Amino acid sequence: MNKEKLIDKACALSRPYAVTDGASFKLKKVDPSDTGPFSDEDKPKAREALAEGIELLAELQDTLYAHDRWSVLLIFQAMDAAGKDGAIKHVMSGVNPQGCQVASFKVPSSEELDHDFLWRCQRHLPERGRIGIFNRSYYEDVLVVKVHPELLDKQKLPDAVRGKGIWDTRYKDIRHFEQYLANNGTIVRKFFLHVSRDEQKKRFLERIEDPAKNWKFSAGDIAERAHWKSYMDAYEDMIQATATKTSPWYVVPADNKWFTRIVVAAAVIDALSSLKLAYPTVTRAQKDALHAARAALEAE
Ligand code: AMP
Ligand code: MG
C-alpha cells in the first residue's frame, strides 16, 4: 500500500478513539472488547496491517530525527495487565533505538517525593527529534494517589495547598504543562488502555499459572483490583479534565492485545504524519561542499 493511503487508513482507524474535548466524555461508552472494523477472523489481516504500520512509523521517526526540531511524548496509563508494556514493545519495535527514550515511573523515591509531582517526569522529557515514552507518568498523581489519598501524606505538601480542591488544581496544572510543551514543539499523545475487569482477571490467572509469567504478578495487584470502581471514576474524571485538542487522550479498547497495538500504532502515525516532515533539503552552498568533498575523496 502506498504511504498516503496507509496514513489515511491509520487516521481513520485511530480517530474514533481520540478524545479531544473531555467535557462530554463518558468511559462507559467505550467497550473494552471493541475491535473496530476487524472481526476475529480478520486477525491475520490486522497483523499484516500492523507490520506495515510499524515500517511506516520507523520511516516517520527517521524524518523526525533528521529534522531535529519537534519531539513527541507518548504517555501510557492503564490498570495492571492491560498490556502497556506489550503495546510499547510492539509498536516501537521497528523504531531506531537512538531516536526513542522510554521512562517508567514507579512508586516515587524519597528524592522524588521531595519535589513537586511533575519534577521527576520533566527530567525525562524527550530531546528534539526524539520520541519519548512514559510508561505511567505524572497522571499517577491524579489516579493512584486520588484512589489512596493517604499517599498524599507522603508528598510532604504544606497544609495550605492540600485542600479539597487539590485534584482540580492538579488537572489544571497538567493542562497548562502540556500546553507549555506544545508551545515549545513537543507533541503530546496520551493512551489509556481500557481493559475490562473480567479480562484482567483472566490475565492475572495466566500470570499465576504460567511460570514464565509469574514475575509479572504481584500480590498488590489484587489489592488494587478491589478498588476498580474508584479507579474507573478517577480515569473518567482525569480524561474529562485533561483531554484537549492539542493534547488528546486515546481511550483504546484493550481486551484484545492485537487490536490495542494497531490502534496505538495508528495514532502515532497520525501524530507524526501531521507534522508533514521531510528530510532536510540542502542549500546551494552545502551542495557545493558535498561536490568538493567527493572530488577530494576521488583524488586520493
Ligand atoms: P509497575 O508499573 O507495575 O511496575 O508498578 C508501578 C507501581 O507504582 C504502580 O502500582 C503505580 O500505581 C505506582 N506508582 C506510580 N507512580 C506513583 C505515584 N506517584 N505515587 C504512588 N504510586 C505510584
Ligand atoms: Mg504491575
Side-chain angles (χ1 to χ4, degrees):
M1 204 184 298
N2 81 36
K3 195 170 144 181
E4 292 315 313
K5 221 166 149 193
L6 211 54
I7 290 172
D8 288 347
K9 279 205 140 181
C11 296
L13 182 68
S14 60
R15 285 184 190 173
Y17 303 100
V19 184
T20 53
D21 174 12
S24 60
F25 175 73
K26 286 274 174 270
L27 188 55
K28 67 169 189 287
K29 286 196 187 148
V30 186
D31 173 6
S33 68
D34 176 24
T35 53
F38 301 106
S39 68
D40 219 41
E41 296 84 76
D42 290 332
K43 252 199 264 184
K45 212 170 78 188
R47 286 220 172 82
E48 232 171 82
L50 178 60
E52 259 188 295
I54 287 171
E55 236 174 81
L56 173 58
L57 204 79
E59 191 186 319
L60 290 167
Q61 184 234 9
D62 206 45
T63 51
L64 180 82
Y65 189 79
H67 194 255
D68 201 18
R69 293 293 182 273
W70 295 96
S71 43
V72 175
L73 175 62
L74 308 176
I75 295 179
F76 288 85
Q77 289 291 157
M79 295 298 283
D80 283 305
K84 266 187 295 107
D85 296 28
I88 294 169
K89 187 165 114 185
H90 278 82
V91 172
M92 303 319 284
S93 60
V95 161
N96 178 353
Q98 284 206 77
C100 183
Q101 304 154 335
V102 186
S104 300
F105 297 96
K106 312 267 178 190
V107 176
S109 68
S110 53
E111 188 193 20
E112 288 166 350
L113 289 168
D114 242 350
H115 295 83
D116 62 276
F117 76 96
L118 291 175
W119 180 78
R120 65 174 179 162
C121 296
Q122 295 195 40
R123 309 168 85 200
H124 293 277
L125 288 171
E127 293 165 34
R128 296 198 188 281
R130 312 277 167 112
I131 298 177
I133 294 173
F134 284 0
N135 185 345
R136 304 185 190 273
S137 65
Y138 42 83
Y139 281 104
E140 291 290 328
D141 291 90
V142 292
L143 290 169
V144 67
V145 183
K146 194 178 182 194
V147 172
H148 300 281
E150 67 276 12
L151 291 173
L152 263 185
D153 298 338
K154 299 194 175 153
Q155 299 198 346
K156 297 175 68 180
L157 294 161
D159 287 341
V161 303
R162 56 161 299 181
K164 268 183 76 173
I166 189 164
W167 310 116
D168 285 334
T169 305
R170 286 188 170 187
Y171 296 142
K172 192 161 99 191
D173 289 339
I174 289 172
R175 277 198 308 270
H176 288 172
F177 176 60
E178 290 177 351
Q179 185 58 52
Y180 163 83
L181 292 178
N183 295 344
N184 285 276
T186 297
I187 307 291
V188 182
R189 294 291 180 270
K190 306 171 292 200
F191 298 91
F192 168 45
L193 308 191
H194 184 29
V195 75
S196 68
R197 197 159 187 262
D198 284 348
E199 181 63 24
Q200 190 198 50
K201 179 175 171 180
K202 223 171 93 194
R203 292 184 190 173
F204 277 173
L205 286 170
E206 272 167 28
R207 289 180 175 191
I208 291 165
E209 271 145 37
D210 180 353
K213 290 185 178 170
N214 283 171
W215 65 274
K216 288 189 182 179
F217 187 76
S218 88
D221 294 349
I222 295 285
E224 288 318 291
R225 181 176 161 78
H227 298 283
W228 192 271
K229 172 79 173 64
S230 307
Y231 271 107
M232 292 307 112
D233 290 346
Y235 270 108
E236 187 173 81
D237 291 347
M238 169 193 89
I239 292 165
Q240 284 173 351
T242 61
T244 65
K245 206 163 178 315
T246 38
S247 183
W249 273 102
Y250 284 82
V251 181
V252 187
D255 279 6
N256 295 282
K257 291 178 182 174
W258 58 270
F259 185 65
T260 310
R261 290 166 191 170
I262 198 166
V263 173
V264 172
V268 182
I269 289 171
D270 188 358
L272 284 171
S273 61
S274 73
L275 297 173
K276 308 249 175 278
L277 298 179
Y279 290 106
T281 49
V282 289
T283 61
R284 189 61 205 252
Q286 285 168 320
K287 247 183 211 159
D288 289 346
L290 288 174
H291 289 313
R294 181 169 57 201
L297 285 168
E298 283 170 351
E300 273 181 9

mmCIF file of all heavy atoms in Angstrom, residues 87-131:
data_model
loop_
_atom_site.group_PDB
_atom_site.id
_atom_site.type_symbol
_atom_site.label_atom_id
_atom_site.label_comp_id
_atom_site.label_asym_id
_atom_site.label_seq_id
_atom_site.Cartn_x
_atom_site.Cartn_y
_atom_site.Cartn_z
ATOM 1 N N ALA A 87 2.315 -3.242 24.361
ATOM 2 C CA ALA A 87 1.997 -2.247 23.315
ATOM 3 C C ALA A 87 3.240 -1.413 23.013
ATOM 4 O O ALA A 87 3.582 -1.184 21.847
ATOM 5 C CB ALA A 87 0.840 -1.361 23.761
ATOM 6 N N ILE A 88 3.932 -0.996 24.063
ATOM 7 C CA ILE A 88 5.145 -0.190 23.861
ATOM 8 C C ILE A 88 6.175 -0.998 23.068
ATOM 9 O O ILE A 88 6.758 -0.531 22.090
ATOM 10 C CB ILE A 88 5.716 0.274 25.225
ATOM 11 C CG1 ILE A 88 4.739 1.254 25.901
ATOM 12 C CG2 ILE A 88 7.102 0.889 25.054
ATOM 13 C CD1 ILE A 88 5.056 1.581 27.344
ATOM 14 N N LYS A 89 6.368 -2.251 23.507
ATOM 15 C CA LYS A 89 7.371 -3.108 22.869
ATOM 16 C C LYS A 89 7.061 -3.334 21.384
ATOM 17 O O LYS A 89 7.934 -3.182 20.532
ATOM 18 C CB LYS A 89 7.395 -4.451 23.617
ATOM 19 C CG LYS A 89 8.480 -5.400 23.198
ATOM 20 C CD LYS A 89 8.627 -6.495 24.225
ATOM 21 C CE LYS A 89 8.226 -7.824 23.656
ATOM 22 N NZ LYS A 89 8.241 -8.913 24.659
ATOM 23 N N HIS A 90 5.811 -3.675 21.075
ATOM 24 C CA HIS A 90 5.476 -3.992 19.684
ATOM 25 C C HIS A 90 5.465 -2.758 18.793
ATOM 26 O O HIS A 90 6.014 -2.769 17.708
ATOM 27 C CB HIS A 90 4.113 -4.690 19.612
ATOM 28 C CG HIS A 90 4.218 -6.138 19.915
ATOM 29 N ND1 HIS A 90 4.252 -6.619 21.211
ATOM 30 C CD2 HIS A 90 4.334 -7.206 19.107
ATOM 31 C CE1 HIS A 90 4.374 -7.927 21.168
ATOM 32 N NE2 HIS A 90 4.422 -8.317 19.908
ATOM 33 N N VAL A 91 4.818 -1.705 19.282
ATOM 34 C CA VAL A 91 4.641 -0.537 18.421
ATOM 35 C C VAL A 91 5.988 0.114 18.113
ATOM 36 O O VAL A 91 6.225 0.594 17.010
ATOM 37 C CB VAL A 91 3.644 0.455 19.059
ATOM 38 C CG1 VAL A 91 3.603 1.754 18.287
ATOM 39 C CG2 VAL A 91 2.256 -0.174 19.137
ATOM 40 N N MET A 92 6.902 0.097 19.080
ATOM 41 C CA MET A 92 8.182 0.758 18.864
ATOM 42 C C MET A 92 9.240 -0.198 18.312
ATOM 43 O O MET A 92 10.386 0.205 18.147
ATOM 44 C CB MET A 92 8.677 1.397 20.167
ATOM 45 C CG MET A 92 7.701 2.405 20.775
ATOM 46 S SD MET A 92 6.885 3.518 19.599
ATOM 47 C CE MET A 92 8.202 4.648 19.257
ATOM 48 N N SER A 93 8.848 -1.439 17.990
ATOM 49 C CA SER A 93 9.848 -2.446 17.623
ATOM 50 C C SER A 93 10.638 -2.095 16.364
ATOM 51 O O SER A 93 11.778 -2.521 16.209
ATOM 52 C CB SER A 93 9.178 -3.817 17.461
ATOM 53 O OG SER A 93 8.209 -3.733 16.441
ATOM 54 N N GLY A 94 10.038 -1.297 15.464
ATOM 55 C CA GLY A 94 10.761 -1.002 14.229
ATOM 56 C C GLY A 94 11.581 0.268 14.300
ATOM 57 O O GLY A 94 12.310 0.614 13.374
ATOM 58 N N VAL A 95 11.424 0.973 15.428
ATOM 59 C CA VAL A 95 11.987 2.308 15.525
ATOM 60 C C VAL A 95 13.452 2.267 15.964
ATOM 61 O O VAL A 95 13.829 1.442 16.795
ATOM 62 C CB VAL A 95 11.106 3.110 16.518
ATOM 63 C CG1 VAL A 95 11.794 4.308 17.066
ATOM 64 C CG2 VAL A 95 9.795 3.486 15.853
ATOM 65 N N ASN A 96 14.245 3.148 15.404
ATOM 66 C CA ASN A 96 15.665 3.214 15.764
ATOM 67 C C ASN A 96 15.808 3.579 17.246
ATOM 68 O O ASN A 96 15.351 4.638 17.668
ATOM 69 C CB ASN A 96 16.311 4.302 14.882
ATOM 70 C CG ASN A 96 17.777 4.493 15.191
ATOM 71 O OD1 ASN A 96 18.314 3.925 16.135
ATOM 72 N ND2 ASN A 96 18.425 5.299 14.375
ATOM 73 N N PRO A 97 16.451 2.694 18.043
ATOM 74 C CA PRO A 97 16.547 2.957 19.488
ATOM 75 C C PRO A 97 17.196 4.306 19.806
ATOM 76 O O PRO A 97 16.916 4.893 20.844
ATOM 77 C CB PRO A 97 17.407 1.807 20.017
ATOM 78 C CG PRO A 97 17.424 0.784 18.953
ATOM 79 C CD PRO A 97 17.099 1.457 17.648
ATOM 80 N N GLN A 98 18.032 4.804 18.904
ATOM 81 C CA GLN A 98 18.683 6.093 19.167
ATOM 82 C C GLN A 98 17.704 7.256 19.175
ATOM 83 O O GLN A 98 17.993 8.310 19.731
ATOM 84 C CB GLN A 98 19.706 6.382 18.066
ATOM 85 C CG GLN A 98 20.958 5.592 18.201
ATOM 86 C CD GLN A 98 22.103 6.321 17.536
ATOM 87 O OE1 GLN A 98 22.635 7.275 18.079
ATOM 88 N NE2 GLN A 98 22.456 5.866 16.356
ATOM 89 N N GLY A 99 16.545 7.042 18.532
ATOM 90 C CA GLY A 99 15.582 8.134 18.434
ATOM 91 C C GLY A 99 14.438 8.020 19.414
ATOM 92 O O GLY A 99 13.442 8.707 19.290
ATOM 93 N N CYS A 100 14.605 7.137 20.404
ATOM 94 C CA CYS A 100 13.479 6.804 21.258
ATOM 95 C C CYS A 100 13.937 6.623 22.705
ATOM 96 O O CYS A 100 14.977 6.011 22.946
ATOM 97 C CB CYS A 100 12.909 5.510 20.688
ATOM 98 S SG CYS A 100 11.470 4.935 21.506
ATOM 99 N N GLN A 101 13.216 7.203 23.644
ATOM 100 C CA GLN A 101 13.607 7.097 25.058
ATOM 101 C C GLN A 101 12.390 6.664 25.867
ATOM 102 O O GLN A 101 11.351 7.303 25.796
ATOM 103 C CB GLN A 101 14.076 8.457 25.575
ATOM 104 C CG GLN A 101 15.206 9.059 24.747
ATOM 105 C CD GLN A 101 15.269 10.586 24.804
ATOM 106 O OE1 GLN A 101 14.292 11.275 25.052
ATOM 107 N NE2 GLN A 101 16.448 11.113 24.545
ATOM 108 N N VAL A 102 12.527 5.581 26.637
ATOM 109 C CA VAL A 102 11.412 5.119 27.470
ATOM 110 C C VAL A 102 11.723 5.401 28.936
ATOM 111 O O VAL A 102 12.834 5.142 29.395
ATOM 112 C CB VAL A 102 11.172 3.596 27.307
ATOM 113 C CG1 VAL A 102 9.925 3.168 28.076
ATOM 114 C CG2 VAL A 102 11.030 3.213 25.841
ATOM 115 N N ALA A 103 10.760 5.943 29.663
ATOM 116 C CA ALA A 103 10.921 6.130 31.107
ATOM 117 C C ALA A 103 9.729 5.489 31.818
ATOM 118 O O ALA A 103 8.586 5.676 31.401
ATOM 119 C CB ALA A 103 10.990 7.619 31.443
ATOM 120 N N SER A 104 9.992 4.679 32.845
ATOM 121 C CA SER A 104 8.921 4.044 33.617
ATOM 122 C C SER A 104 8.857 4.694 34.985
ATOM 123 O O SER A 104 9.896 4.865 35.629
ATOM 124 C CB SER A 104 9.207 2.555 33.807
ATOM 125 O OG SER A 104 9.301 1.934 32.557
ATOM 126 N N PHE A 105 7.664 5.050 35.396
ATOM 127 C CA PHE A 105 7.516 5.723 36.691
ATOM 128 C C PHE A 105 6.826 4.807 37.691
ATOM 129 O O PHE A 105 5.717 4.358 37.468
ATOM 130 C CB PHE A 105 6.749 7.040 36.516
ATOM 131 C CG PHE A 105 7.498 7.995 35.634
ATOM 132 C CD1 PHE A 105 7.212 8.093 34.273
ATOM 133 C CD2 PHE A 105 8.548 8.747 36.142
ATOM 134 C CE1 PHE A 105 7.930 8.951 33.448
ATOM 135 C CE2 PHE A 105 9.275 9.601 35.322
ATOM 136 C CZ PHE A 105 8.962 9.704 33.976
ATOM 137 N N LYS A 106 7.569 4.530 38.764
ATOM 138 C CA LYS A 106 7.092 3.595 39.797
ATOM 139 C C LYS A 106 6.710 4.394 41.043
ATOM 140 O O LYS A 106 6.618 5.614 40.993
ATOM 141 C CB LYS A 106 8.229 2.624 40.131
ATOM 142 C CG LYS A 106 8.889 2.018 38.904
ATOM 143 C CD LYS A 106 8.264 0.715 38.561
ATOM 144 C CE LYS A 106 8.875 0.127 37.310
ATOM 145 N NZ LYS A 106 8.164 -1.018 36.816
ATOM 146 N N VAL A 107 6.559 3.680 42.172
ATOM 147 C CA VAL A 107 6.324 4.377 43.439
ATOM 148 C C VAL A 107 7.464 5.379 43.622
ATOM 149 O O VAL A 107 8.632 5.019 43.480
ATOM 150 C CB VAL A 107 6.308 3.357 44.593
ATOM 151 C CG1 VAL A 107 6.167 4.062 45.936
ATOM 152 C CG2 VAL A 107 5.179 2.349 44.390
ATOM 153 N N PRO A 108 7.155 6.644 43.906
ATOM 154 C CA PRO A 108 8.214 7.662 43.952
ATOM 155 C C PRO A 108 9.246 7.417 45.058
ATOM 156 O O PRO A 108 8.903 6.932 46.136
ATOM 157 C CB PRO A 108 7.463 8.972 44.216
ATOM 158 C CG PRO A 108 6.022 8.652 44.236
ATOM 159 C CD PRO A 108 5.811 7.193 44.109
ATOM 160 N N SER A 109 10.488 7.734 44.753
ATOM 161 C CA SER A 109 11.578 7.616 45.732
ATOM 162 C C SER A 109 11.492 8.794 46.703
ATOM 163 O O SER A 109 10.747 9.756 46.467
ATOM 164 C CB SER A 109 12.919 7.670 45.000
ATOM 165 O OG SER A 109 13.097 8.973 44.464
ATOM 166 N N SER A 110 12.308 8.750 47.758
ATOM 167 C CA SER A 110 12.254 9.867 48.719
ATOM 168 C C SER A 110 12.774 11.145 48.063
ATOM 169 O O SER A 110 12.289 12.233 48.342
ATOM 170 C CB SER A 110 13.018 9.532 49.994
ATOM 171 O OG SER A 110 14.310 9.119 49.664
ATOM 172 N N GLU A 111 13.724 11.004 47.155
ATOM 173 C CA GLU A 111 14.194 12.198 46.445
ATOM 174 C C GLU A 111 13.054 12.798 45.602
ATOM 175 O O GLU A 111 12.857 14.017 45.578
ATOM 176 C CB GLU A 111 15.383 11.853 45.540
ATOM 177 C CG GLU A 111 16.019 13.099 44.933
ATOM 178 C CD GLU A 111 16.993 12.809 43.792
ATOM 179 O OE1 GLU A 111 16.919 11.719 43.193
ATOM 180 O OE2 GLU A 111 17.815 13.697 43.499
ATOM 181 N N GLU A 112 12.308 11.921 44.930
ATOM 182 C CA GLU A 112 11.205 12.403 44.094
ATOM 183 C C GLU A 112 10.096 13.045 44.939
ATOM 184 O O GLU A 112 9.506 14.049 44.555
ATOM 185 C CB GLU A 112 10.657 11.247 43.246
ATOM 186 C CG GLU A 112 11.636 10.851 42.137
ATOM 187 C CD GLU A 112 11.323 9.519 41.463
ATOM 188 O OE1 GLU A 112 10.445 8.766 41.956
ATOM 189 O OE2 GLU A 112 11.966 9.209 40.455
ATOM 190 N N LEU A 113 9.847 12.444 46.108
ATOM 191 C CA LEU A 113 8.800 12.990 46.995
ATOM 192 C C LEU A 113 9.201 14.339 47.593
ATOM 193 O O LEU A 113 8.373 15.056 48.137
ATOM 194 C CB LEU A 113 8.487 11.998 48.121
ATOM 195 C CG LEU A 113 7.737 10.741 47.684
ATOM 196 C CD1 LEU A 113 7.738 9.698 48.796
ATOM 197 C CD2 LEU A 113 6.299 11.061 47.263
ATOM 198 N N ASP A 114 10.459 14.655 47.487
ATOM 199 C CA ASP A 114 10.955 15.928 47.995
ATOM 200 C C ASP A 114 10.726 17.073 47.003
ATOM 201 O O ASP A 114 11.206 18.191 47.232
ATOM 202 C CB ASP A 114 12.468 15.794 48.283
ATOM 203 C CG ASP A 114 12.767 16.017 49.741
ATOM 204 O OD1 ASP A 114 11.852 16.456 50.476
ATOM 205 O OD2 ASP A 114 13.914 15.758 50.159
ATOM 206 N N HIS A 115 10.043 16.753 45.882
ATOM 207 C CA HIS A 115 9.783 17.772 44.859
ATOM 208 C C HIS A 115 8.316 17.770 44.459
ATOM 209 O O HIS A 115 7.571 16.868 44.818
ATOM 210 C CB HIS A 115 10.621 17.493 43.599
ATOM 211 C CG HIS A 115 12.081 17.608 43.813
ATOM 212 N ND1 HIS A 115 12.830 16.584 44.336
ATOM 213 C CD2 HIS A 115 12.932 18.626 43.603
ATOM 214 C CE1 HIS A 115 14.088 16.972 44.418
ATOM 215 N NE2 HIS A 115 14.178 18.214 43.986
ATOM 216 N N ASP A 116 7.922 18.746 43.665
ATOM 217 C CA ASP A 116 6.573 18.787 43.110
ATOM 218 C C ASP A 116 6.357 17.579 42.191
ATOM 219 O O ASP A 116 7.322 16.969 41.728
ATOM 220 C CB ASP A 116 6.385 20.091 42.318
ATOM 221 C CG ASP A 116 7.350 20.164 41.151
ATOM 222 O OD1 ASP A 116 8.500 20.585 41.362
ATOM 223 O OD2 ASP A 116 6.976 19.760 40.029
ATOM 224 N N PHE A 117 5.073 17.240 41.933
ATOM 225 C CA PHE A 117 4.802 15.956 41.270
ATOM 226 C C PHE A 117 5.228 15.897 39.808
ATOM 227 O O PHE A 117 5.372 14.811 39.245
ATOM 228 C CB PHE A 117 3.329 15.538 41.450
ATOM 229 C CG PHE A 117 2.330 16.271 40.599
ATOM 230 C CD1 PHE A 117 1.890 15.730 39.388
ATOM 231 C CD2 PHE A 117 1.813 17.491 41.004
ATOM 232 C CE1 PHE A 117 0.952 16.397 38.604
ATOM 233 C CE2 PHE A 117 0.870 18.177 40.234
ATOM 234 C CZ PHE A 117 0.447 17.632 39.024
ATOM 235 N N LEU A 118 5.435 17.040 39.166
ATOM 236 C CA LEU A 118 5.872 16.996 37.757
ATOM 237 C C LEU A 118 7.384 16.813 37.619
ATOM 238 O O LEU A 118 7.879 16.412 36.561
ATOM 239 C CB LEU A 118 5.454 18.295 37.036
ATOM 240 C CG LEU A 118 3.957 18.506 36.808
ATOM 241 C CD1 LEU A 118 3.709 19.888 36.200
ATOM 242 C CD2 LEU A 118 3.399 17.428 35.869
ATOM 243 N N TRP A 119 8.094 17.087 38.682
ATOM 244 C CA TRP A 119 9.551 17.165 38.625
ATOM 245 C C TRP A 119 10.213 15.924 38.034
ATOM 246 O O TRP A 119 11.017 16.012 37.099
ATOM 247 C CB TRP A 119 10.096 17.433 40.037
ATOM 248 C CG TRP A 119 11.589 17.544 40.138
ATOM 249 C CD1 TRP A 119 12.354 18.610 39.805
ATOM 250 C CD2 TRP A 119 12.493 16.522 40.619
ATOM 251 N NE1 TRP A 119 13.675 18.334 40.055
ATOM 252 C CE2 TRP A 119 13.794 17.066 40.550
ATOM 253 C CE3 TRP A 119 12.328 15.214 41.108
ATOM 254 C CZ2 TRP A 119 14.920 16.347 40.949
ATOM 255 C CZ3 TRP A 119 13.454 14.503 41.500
ATOM 256 C CH2 TRP A 119 14.724 15.072 41.406
ATOM 257 N N ARG A 120 9.841 14.761 38.549
ATOM 258 C CA ARG A 120 10.553 13.550 38.091
ATOM 259 C C ARG A 120 10.305 13.273 36.611
ATOM 260 O O ARG A 120 11.128 12.670 35.935
ATOM 261 C CB ARG A 120 10.199 12.345 38.960
ATOM 262 C CG ARG A 120 8.760 11.886 38.892
ATOM 263 C CD ARG A 120 8.593 10.597 39.681
ATOM 264 N NE ARG A 120 7.231 10.109 39.683
ATOM 265 C CZ ARG A 120 6.895 8.861 39.988
ATOM 266 N NH1 ARG A 120 7.827 7.977 40.323
ATOM 267 N NH2 ARG A 120 5.645 8.478 39.977
ATOM 268 N N CYS A 121 9.131 13.693 36.112
ATOM 269 C CA CYS A 121 8.818 13.438 34.705
ATOM 270 C C CYS A 121 9.511 14.439 33.782
ATOM 271 O O CYS A 121 9.932 14.088 32.673
ATOM 272 C CB CYS A 121 7.315 13.488 34.487
ATOM 273 S SG CYS A 121 6.442 12.185 35.370
ATOM 274 N N GLN A 122 9.638 15.664 34.259
ATOM 275 C CA GLN A 122 10.281 16.690 33.425
ATOM 276 C C GLN A 122 11.707 16.299 33.065
ATOM 277 O O GLN A 122 12.211 16.629 31.996
ATOM 278 C CB GLN A 122 10.303 18.027 34.149
ATOM 279 C CG GLN A 122 8.913 18.569 34.378
ATOM 280 C CD GLN A 122 8.909 20.031 34.753
ATOM 281 O OE1 GLN A 122 9.667 20.809 34.205
ATOM 282 N NE2 GLN A 122 8.067 20.395 35.683
ATOM 283 N N ARG A 123 12.339 15.584 33.976
ATOM 284 C CA ARG A 123 13.734 15.190 33.736
ATOM 285 C C ARG A 123 13.865 14.178 32.601
ATOM 286 O O ARG A 123 14.960 13.919 32.123
ATOM 287 C CB ARG A 123 14.336 14.586 34.999
ATOM 288 C CG ARG A 123 14.145 15.458 36.220
ATOM 289 C CD ARG A 123 14.474 14.709 37.467
ATOM 290 N NE ARG A 123 15.896 14.763 37.761
ATOM 291 C CZ ARG A 123 16.524 13.910 38.546
ATOM 292 N NH1 ARG A 123 15.872 12.890 39.068
ATOM 293 N NH2 ARG A 123 17.792 14.037 38.786
ATOM 294 N N HIS A 124 12.722 13.582 32.221
ATOM 295 C CA HIS A 124 12.773 12.553 31.174
ATOM 296 C C HIS A 124 12.073 12.972 29.889
ATOM 297 O O HIS A 124 11.766 12.129 29.046
ATOM 298 C CB HIS A 124 12.154 11.250 31.699
ATOM 299 C CG HIS A 124 12.967 10.622 32.784
ATOM 300 N ND1 HIS A 124 14.062 9.818 32.524
ATOM 301 C CD2 HIS A 124 12.881 10.705 34.120
ATOM 302 C CE1 HIS A 124 14.589 9.431 33.675
ATOM 303 N NE2 HIS A 124 13.894 9.953 34.659
ATOM 304 N N LEU A 125 11.800 14.247 29.751
ATOM 305 C CA LEU A 125 11.144 14.702 28.518
ATOM 306 C C LEU A 125 12.062 14.459 27.319
ATOM 307 O O LEU A 125 13.289 14.579 27.441
ATOM 308 C CB LEU A 125 10.804 16.192 28.633
ATOM 309 C CG LEU A 125 9.648 16.517 29.595
ATOM 310 C CD1 LEU A 125 9.540 18.023 29.802
ATOM 311 C CD2 LEU A 125 8.328 15.941 29.105
ATOM 312 N N PRO A 126 11.476 14.101 26.171
ATOM 313 C CA PRO A 126 12.318 13.781 25.014
ATOM 314 C C PRO A 126 13.060 15.005 24.456
ATOM 315 O O PRO A 126 12.524 16.109 24.466
ATOM 316 C CB PRO A 126 11.317 13.258 23.983
ATOM 317 C CG PRO A 126 9.997 13.820 24.392
ATOM 318 C CD PRO A 126 10.037 13.947 25.885
ATOM 319 N N GLU A 127 14.264 14.751 24.003
ATOM 320 C CA GLU A 127 15.025 15.802 23.301
ATOM 321 C C GLU A 127 14.376 16.059 21.946
ATOM 322 O O GLU A 127 13.627 15.229 21.438
ATOM 323 C CB GLU A 127 16.455 15.311 23.037
ATOM 324 C CG GLU A 127 17.269 15.124 24.299
ATOM 325 C CD GLU A 127 18.517 14.289 24.008
ATOM 326 O OE1 GLU A 127 19.069 14.417 22.899
ATOM 327 O OE2 GLU A 127 18.907 13.509 24.881
ATOM 328 N N ARG A 128 14.724 17.172 21.328
ATOM 329 C CA ARG A 128 14.202 17.463 19.990
ATOM 330 C C ARG A 128 14.595 16.338 19.027
ATOM 331 O O ARG A 128 15.694 15.815 19.092
ATOM 332 C CB ARG A 128 14.741 18.805 19.476
ATOM 333 C CG ARG A 128 14.264 19.961 20.340
ATOM 334 C CD ARG A 128 14.395 21.307 19.649
ATOM 335 N NE ARG A 128 14.095 22.359 20.626
ATOM 336 C CZ ARG A 128 12.865 22.705 20.993
ATOM 337 N NH1 ARG A 128 11.829 22.097 20.450
ATOM 338 N NH2 ARG A 128 12.671 23.650 21.898
ATOM 339 N N GLY A 129 13.653 15.987 18.167
ATOM 340 C CA GLY A 129 13.918 14.922 17.197
ATOM 341 C C GLY A 129 13.664 13.526 17.737
ATOM 342 O O GLY A 129 13.813 12.553 17.013
ATOM 343 N N ARG A 130 13.291 13.441 19.034
ATOM 344 C CA ARG A 130 13.119 12.110 19.639
ATOM 345 C C ARG A 130 11.657 11.843 19.999
ATOM 346 O O ARG A 130 10.885 12.760 20.220
ATOM 347 C CB ARG A 130 13.918 11.984 20.952
ATOM 348 C CG ARG A 130 15.334 12.451 20.883
ATOM 349 C CD ARG A 130 16.223 11.370 20.310
ATOM 350 N NE ARG A 130 17.507 11.940 19.977
ATOM 351 C CZ ARG A 130 18.644 11.643 20.629
ATOM 352 N NH1 ARG A 130 18.648 10.780 21.601
ATOM 353 N NH2 ARG A 130 19.765 12.218 20.265
ATOM 354 N N ILE A 131 11.386 10.547 20.138
ATOM 355 C CA ILE A 131 10.105 10.120 20.702
ATOM 356 C C ILE A 131 10.367 9.702 22.143
ATOM 357 O O ILE A 131 11.223 8.859 22.406
ATOM 358 C CB ILE A 131 9.512 8.938 19.910
ATOM 359 C CG1 ILE A 131 9.233 9.345 18.456
ATOM 360 C CG2 ILE A 131 8.237 8.437 20.581
ATOM 361 C CD1 ILE A 131 8.710 8.204 17.581
#
